[in-house]
Short mmCIF file of all heavy atoms in Angstrom, two decimals:
data_model
loop_
_atom_site.label_atom_id
_atom_site.label_comp_id
_atom_site.label_asym_id
_atom_site.label_seq_id
_atom_site.Cartn_x
_atom_site.Cartn_y
_atom_site.Cartn_z
N ILE A 186 22.43 55.80 40.43
CA ILE A 186 22.18 55.00 41.64
C ILE A 186 20.80 54.40 41.51
O ILE A 186 19.77 55.09 41.36
CB ILE A 186 22.20 55.90 42.88
CG1 ILE A 186 23.60 56.55 43.08
CG2 ILE A 186 21.91 55.06 44.13
CD1 ILE A 186 24.72 55.61 43.28
N LEU A 187 20.77 53.07 41.56
CA LEU A 187 19.53 52.32 41.63
C LEU A 187 19.48 51.60 42.99
O LEU A 187 20.42 51.63 43.75
CB LEU A 187 19.44 51.28 40.49
CG LEU A 187 19.25 51.90 39.12
CD1 LEU A 187 19.30 50.80 38.04
CD2 LEU A 187 17.91 52.61 39.02
N ASN A 188 18.34 51.00 43.29
CA ASN A 188 18.17 50.47 44.65
C ASN A 188 17.78 48.97 44.64
O ASN A 188 17.22 48.49 43.68
CB ASN A 188 17.06 51.25 45.40
CG ASN A 188 17.53 52.69 45.68
OD1 ASN A 188 17.56 53.55 44.83
ND2 ASN A 188 17.94 52.92 46.95
N ARG A 189 18.07 48.40 45.80
CA ARG A 189 17.73 46.97 46.08
C ARG A 189 17.12 46.89 47.45
O ARG A 189 17.11 47.89 48.22
CB ARG A 189 18.97 46.13 45.99
CG ARG A 189 19.99 46.54 47.08
CD ARG A 189 21.20 45.63 47.04
NE ARG A 189 22.23 46.05 47.98
CZ ARG A 189 23.36 45.41 48.24
NH1 ARG A 189 23.61 44.26 47.63
NH2 ARG A 189 24.26 45.89 49.14
N TYR A 190 16.58 45.70 47.79
CA TYR A 190 16.11 45.51 49.10
C TYR A 190 17.22 45.02 50.03
O TYR A 190 18.19 44.39 49.56
CB TYR A 190 14.91 44.50 49.10
CG TYR A 190 13.67 45.11 48.50
CD1 TYR A 190 13.20 44.68 47.26
CD2 TYR A 190 13.01 46.14 49.14
CE1 TYR A 190 12.04 45.28 46.72
CE2 TYR A 190 11.88 46.71 48.57
CZ TYR A 190 11.42 46.26 47.35
OH TYR A 190 10.28 46.81 46.82
N TRP A 191 17.07 45.27 51.32
CA TRP A 191 18.20 45.01 52.22
C TRP A 191 17.56 44.86 53.63
O TRP A 191 16.36 45.02 53.82
CB TRP A 191 19.16 46.19 52.23
CG TRP A 191 20.41 46.07 53.02
CD1 TRP A 191 20.70 46.66 54.23
CD2 TRP A 191 21.58 45.32 52.63
NE1 TRP A 191 21.99 46.30 54.59
CE2 TRP A 191 22.54 45.49 53.68
CE3 TRP A 191 21.89 44.45 51.62
CZ2 TRP A 191 23.78 44.85 53.62
CZ3 TRP A 191 23.14 43.87 51.57
CH2 TRP A 191 24.04 44.08 52.59
N ASP A 192 18.36 44.44 54.63
CA ASP A 192 17.94 44.40 56.02
C ASP A 192 19.20 44.65 56.82
O ASP A 192 20.27 44.19 56.48
CB ASP A 192 17.31 43.06 56.36
CG ASP A 192 16.69 43.03 57.72
OD1 ASP A 192 17.42 43.19 58.77
OD2 ASP A 192 15.45 42.92 57.88
N HIS A 193 19.09 45.36 57.92
CA HIS A 193 20.25 45.68 58.74
C HIS A 193 20.73 44.52 59.58
O HIS A 193 21.81 44.61 60.17
CB HIS A 193 19.95 46.89 59.61
CG HIS A 193 19.70 48.16 58.79
ND1 HIS A 193 20.60 48.78 58.10
CD2 HIS A 193 18.57 48.90 58.60
CE1 HIS A 193 20.12 49.85 57.47
NE2 HIS A 193 18.85 49.93 57.76
N PHE A 194 19.99 43.46 59.60
CA PHE A 194 20.40 42.28 60.45
C PHE A 194 20.71 41.02 59.56
O PHE A 194 20.16 40.95 58.43
CB PHE A 194 19.32 41.96 61.46
CG PHE A 194 19.07 43.07 62.42
CD1 PHE A 194 17.88 43.79 62.36
CD2 PHE A 194 20.01 43.44 63.40
CE1 PHE A 194 17.61 44.87 63.26
CE2 PHE A 194 19.78 44.48 64.25
CZ PHE A 194 18.57 45.17 64.23
N GLU A 195 21.47 40.22 60.04
CA GLU A 195 21.83 38.94 59.35
C GLU A 195 21.63 37.79 60.32
O GLU A 195 22.57 36.97 60.53
CB GLU A 195 23.24 39.00 58.74
CG GLU A 195 24.31 39.52 59.71
CD GLU A 195 25.66 39.66 59.00
OE1 GLU A 195 25.69 39.71 57.74
OE2 GLU A 195 26.68 39.69 59.75
N THR A 196 20.44 37.68 60.91
CA THR A 196 20.07 36.64 61.82
C THR A 196 18.69 36.13 61.37
O THR A 196 18.02 36.78 60.57
CB THR A 196 19.97 37.22 63.29
OG1 THR A 196 19.06 38.31 63.27
CG2 THR A 196 21.34 37.66 63.75
N PRO A 197 18.22 35.02 61.91
CA PRO A 197 16.88 34.52 61.51
C PRO A 197 15.84 35.54 61.91
O PRO A 197 15.97 36.24 62.97
CB PRO A 197 16.78 33.22 62.39
CG PRO A 197 18.11 32.79 62.70
CD PRO A 197 18.93 34.05 62.80
N ARG A 198 14.82 35.65 61.09
CA ARG A 198 13.69 36.53 61.48
C ARG A 198 13.01 35.98 62.70
O ARG A 198 12.72 34.82 62.79
CB ARG A 198 12.65 36.58 60.34
CG ARG A 198 13.13 37.27 59.05
CD ARG A 198 12.15 37.00 57.93
NE ARG A 198 12.07 35.57 57.60
CZ ARG A 198 11.01 34.98 57.07
NH1 ARG A 198 9.94 35.63 56.75
NH2 ARG A 198 11.07 33.67 56.75
N GLN A 199 12.76 36.84 63.70
CA GLN A 199 12.17 36.40 64.95
C GLN A 199 10.82 35.78 64.76
O GLN A 199 10.46 34.80 65.41
CB GLN A 199 12.07 37.55 65.96
CG GLN A 199 13.41 38.11 66.42
CD GLN A 199 13.84 39.31 65.63
OE1 GLN A 199 13.68 39.38 64.42
NE2 GLN A 199 14.50 40.28 66.26
N GLU A 200 9.99 36.32 63.79
CA GLU A 200 8.68 35.84 63.60
C GLU A 200 8.60 34.57 62.72
O GLU A 200 7.56 34.03 62.45
CB GLU A 200 7.82 36.94 62.95
CG GLU A 200 8.03 37.19 61.47
CD GLU A 200 9.28 38.04 61.17
OE1 GLU A 200 10.10 38.26 62.04
OE2 GLU A 200 9.41 38.45 59.99
N SER A 201 9.78 34.18 62.19
CA SER A 201 9.86 32.91 61.39
C SER A 201 11.17 32.21 61.70
O SER A 201 11.86 31.69 60.87
CB SER A 201 9.83 33.24 59.89
OG SER A 201 8.63 33.87 59.52
N TYR A 202 11.48 32.15 63.01
CA TYR A 202 12.78 31.74 63.52
C TYR A 202 13.14 30.33 63.13
O TYR A 202 14.17 30.10 62.51
CB TYR A 202 12.83 31.92 65.03
CG TYR A 202 14.22 31.71 65.65
CD1 TYR A 202 15.10 32.81 65.69
CD2 TYR A 202 14.57 30.56 66.18
CE1 TYR A 202 16.35 32.65 66.22
CE2 TYR A 202 15.86 30.38 66.75
CZ TYR A 202 16.74 31.43 66.77
OH TYR A 202 17.96 31.30 67.30
N LYS A 203 12.25 29.43 63.45
CA LYS A 203 12.57 28.00 63.17
C LYS A 203 12.66 27.75 61.70
O LYS A 203 13.50 26.99 61.20
CB LYS A 203 11.51 27.05 63.78
CG LYS A 203 11.82 25.59 63.63
CD LYS A 203 10.83 24.70 64.32
CE LYS A 203 11.20 23.24 64.20
NZ LYS A 203 10.23 22.32 64.88
N GLU A 204 11.74 28.40 60.93
CA GLU A 204 11.73 28.18 59.42
C GLU A 204 13.08 28.69 58.84
O GLU A 204 13.64 28.01 57.96
CB GLU A 204 10.54 28.98 58.83
CG GLU A 204 9.20 28.46 59.20
CD GLU A 204 8.59 28.99 60.45
OE1 GLU A 204 9.40 29.59 61.26
OE2 GLU A 204 7.42 28.89 60.66
N ASP A 205 13.52 29.79 59.31
CA ASP A 205 14.81 30.33 58.76
C ASP A 205 16.00 29.47 59.12
O ASP A 205 16.89 29.24 58.31
CB ASP A 205 15.00 31.77 59.27
CG ASP A 205 14.11 32.75 58.54
OD1 ASP A 205 13.33 32.33 57.67
OD2 ASP A 205 14.15 33.95 58.87
N VAL A 206 16.02 29.06 60.36
CA VAL A 206 17.16 28.16 60.82
C VAL A 206 17.16 26.88 60.00
O VAL A 206 18.23 26.40 59.53
CB VAL A 206 17.05 27.86 62.32
CG1 VAL A 206 17.99 26.74 62.68
CG2 VAL A 206 17.22 29.11 63.14
N HIS A 207 15.98 26.31 59.73
CA HIS A 207 15.87 25.15 58.92
C HIS A 207 16.33 25.35 57.51
O HIS A 207 17.12 24.57 56.94
CB HIS A 207 14.45 24.58 58.89
CG HIS A 207 14.17 23.40 58.02
ND1 HIS A 207 13.72 23.62 56.69
CD2 HIS A 207 14.26 22.09 58.21
CE1 HIS A 207 13.64 22.43 56.12
NE2 HIS A 207 13.98 21.48 57.01
N ASP A 208 15.82 26.44 56.84
CA ASP A 208 16.16 26.67 55.46
C ASP A 208 17.66 27.03 55.25
O ASP A 208 18.23 26.75 54.25
CB ASP A 208 15.25 27.82 54.88
CG ASP A 208 13.79 27.43 54.72
OD1 ASP A 208 13.57 26.18 54.53
OD2 ASP A 208 12.91 28.24 54.75
N ALA A 209 18.22 27.63 56.28
CA ALA A 209 19.65 28.03 56.17
C ALA A 209 20.56 26.82 56.06
O ALA A 209 21.65 26.95 55.52
CB ALA A 209 20.03 28.91 57.37
N LYS A 210 20.09 25.72 56.56
CA LYS A 210 20.97 24.52 56.51
C LYS A 210 21.24 24.08 55.08
O LYS A 210 22.31 23.43 54.81
CB LYS A 210 20.27 23.37 57.25
CG LYS A 210 20.15 23.59 58.73
CD LYS A 210 19.38 22.50 59.45
CE LYS A 210 19.25 22.79 60.93
NZ LYS A 210 18.41 21.73 61.64
N SER A 211 20.34 24.36 54.17
CA SER A 211 20.55 23.97 52.77
C SER A 211 21.19 25.07 51.91
O SER A 211 21.42 24.88 50.70
CB SER A 211 19.17 23.61 52.15
OG SER A 211 18.57 22.61 52.84
N TYR A 212 21.54 26.22 52.52
CA TYR A 212 22.10 27.33 51.74
C TYR A 212 23.54 27.08 51.47
O TYR A 212 24.31 26.75 52.33
CB TYR A 212 21.89 28.62 52.56
CG TYR A 212 22.41 29.81 51.83
CD1 TYR A 212 21.73 30.34 50.71
CD2 TYR A 212 23.59 30.47 52.30
CE1 TYR A 212 22.17 31.48 50.06
CE2 TYR A 212 24.03 31.63 51.57
CZ TYR A 212 23.38 32.12 50.47
OH TYR A 212 23.81 33.20 49.80
N GLN A 213 23.93 27.28 50.21
CA GLN A 213 25.33 27.11 49.83
C GLN A 213 26.10 28.40 50.03
O GLN A 213 26.34 29.18 49.12
CB GLN A 213 25.38 26.66 48.33
CG GLN A 213 24.66 25.42 47.99
CD GLN A 213 25.15 24.20 48.76
OE1 GLN A 213 26.40 23.98 48.73
NE2 GLN A 213 24.32 23.49 49.39
N GLY A 214 26.49 28.58 51.25
CA GLY A 214 27.22 29.80 51.60
C GLY A 214 27.11 30.00 53.12
O GLY A 214 26.58 29.08 53.81
N ASN A 215 27.58 31.18 53.64
CA ASN A 215 27.50 31.31 55.08
C ASN A 215 26.06 31.68 55.46
O ASN A 215 25.35 32.27 54.66
CB ASN A 215 28.50 32.41 55.55
CG ASN A 215 28.17 33.78 55.06
OD1 ASN A 215 27.19 34.38 55.46
ND2 ASN A 215 29.04 34.30 54.16
N LYS A 216 25.71 31.31 56.68
CA LYS A 216 24.34 31.45 57.14
C LYS A 216 23.92 32.93 57.24
O LYS A 216 22.76 33.24 57.01
CB LYS A 216 24.15 30.74 58.45
CG LYS A 216 24.50 29.25 58.49
CD LYS A 216 23.60 28.48 57.52
CE LYS A 216 23.81 26.99 57.50
NZ LYS A 216 25.03 26.60 56.75
N GLU A 217 24.87 33.76 57.63
CA GLU A 217 24.53 35.18 57.77
C GLU A 217 24.07 35.78 56.40
O GLU A 217 23.20 36.58 56.34
CB GLU A 217 25.76 35.94 58.32
CG GLU A 217 26.06 35.68 59.77
CD GLU A 217 26.77 34.36 59.93
OE1 GLU A 217 27.24 33.77 58.99
OE2 GLU A 217 26.81 33.88 61.09
N GLU A 218 24.75 35.30 55.35
CA GLU A 218 24.34 35.78 54.00
C GLU A 218 22.93 35.32 53.68
O GLU A 218 22.12 36.16 53.14
CB GLU A 218 25.36 35.24 52.96
CG GLU A 218 25.16 35.70 51.59
CD GLU A 218 26.14 35.19 50.60
OE1 GLU A 218 26.24 33.90 50.47
OE2 GLU A 218 26.90 35.96 49.97
N PHE A 219 22.60 34.07 54.04
CA PHE A 219 21.23 33.59 53.78
C PHE A 219 20.22 34.44 54.53
O PHE A 219 19.21 34.85 53.96
CB PHE A 219 21.16 32.13 54.20
CG PHE A 219 19.72 31.59 54.20
CD1 PHE A 219 19.10 31.20 53.02
CD2 PHE A 219 18.95 31.58 55.38
CE1 PHE A 219 17.78 30.77 53.01
CE2 PHE A 219 17.65 31.14 55.34
CZ PHE A 219 17.09 30.74 54.12
N TYR A 220 20.50 34.73 55.81
CA TYR A 220 19.53 35.46 56.61
C TYR A 220 19.38 36.89 56.05
O TYR A 220 18.27 37.43 56.08
CB TYR A 220 20.01 35.50 58.09
CG TYR A 220 20.04 34.15 58.76
CD1 TYR A 220 21.12 33.76 59.52
CD2 TYR A 220 18.97 33.26 58.57
CE1 TYR A 220 21.12 32.57 60.20
CE2 TYR A 220 18.98 32.00 59.19
CZ TYR A 220 20.08 31.64 59.97
OH TYR A 220 20.09 30.41 60.54
N ARG A 221 20.43 37.51 55.56
CA ARG A 221 20.28 38.81 54.94
C ARG A 221 19.36 38.72 53.69
O ARG A 221 18.49 39.59 53.50
CB ARG A 221 21.64 39.30 54.51
CG ARG A 221 21.61 40.69 53.90
CD ARG A 221 21.73 41.81 54.90
NE ARG A 221 23.14 41.85 55.42
CZ ARG A 221 23.47 42.63 56.42
NH1 ARG A 221 22.64 43.38 57.05
NH2 ARG A 221 24.73 42.61 56.84
N HIS A 222 19.57 37.72 52.87
CA HIS A 222 18.77 37.57 51.66
C HIS A 222 17.30 37.30 52.05
O HIS A 222 16.38 37.87 51.44
CB HIS A 222 19.27 36.37 50.81
CG HIS A 222 20.50 36.64 50.03
ND1 HIS A 222 20.71 37.76 49.29
CD2 HIS A 222 21.63 35.89 49.88
CE1 HIS A 222 21.85 37.71 48.72
NE2 HIS A 222 22.45 36.59 49.03
N ILE A 223 17.05 36.46 53.04
CA ILE A 223 15.65 36.15 53.38
C ILE A 223 14.94 37.36 54.00
O ILE A 223 13.80 37.59 53.74
CB ILE A 223 15.66 34.93 54.34
CG1 ILE A 223 14.31 34.14 54.18
CG2 ILE A 223 15.85 35.28 55.80
CD1 ILE A 223 14.28 33.20 53.08
N ARG A 224 15.71 38.13 54.81
CA ARG A 224 15.15 39.35 55.33
C ARG A 224 14.89 40.39 54.26
O ARG A 224 13.88 41.10 54.30
CB ARG A 224 16.09 39.89 56.40
CG ARG A 224 16.05 39.16 57.74
CD ARG A 224 17.16 39.62 58.67
NE ARG A 224 16.96 39.16 60.06
CZ ARG A 224 16.28 39.74 61.00
NH1 ARG A 224 15.73 40.92 60.70
NH2 ARG A 224 16.16 39.26 62.19
N ALA A 225 15.80 40.52 53.34
CA ALA A 225 15.59 41.44 52.21
C ALA A 225 14.38 41.05 51.40
O ALA A 225 13.62 41.88 50.91
CB ALA A 225 16.85 41.49 51.34
N GLY A 226 14.16 39.71 51.24
CA GLY A 226 12.96 39.22 50.55
C GLY A 226 11.70 39.63 51.26
O GLY A 226 10.71 39.96 50.68
#
């Protein structure tokens, strides 16, 4: 078992809300997946 980063939510980060909504528009996939990746980052 190895580990990765994760987040329990798949919504824009509240403290970077507008930035995440803007960046999600260019994501090639569903927005919830993008928000999970950005939060894990």
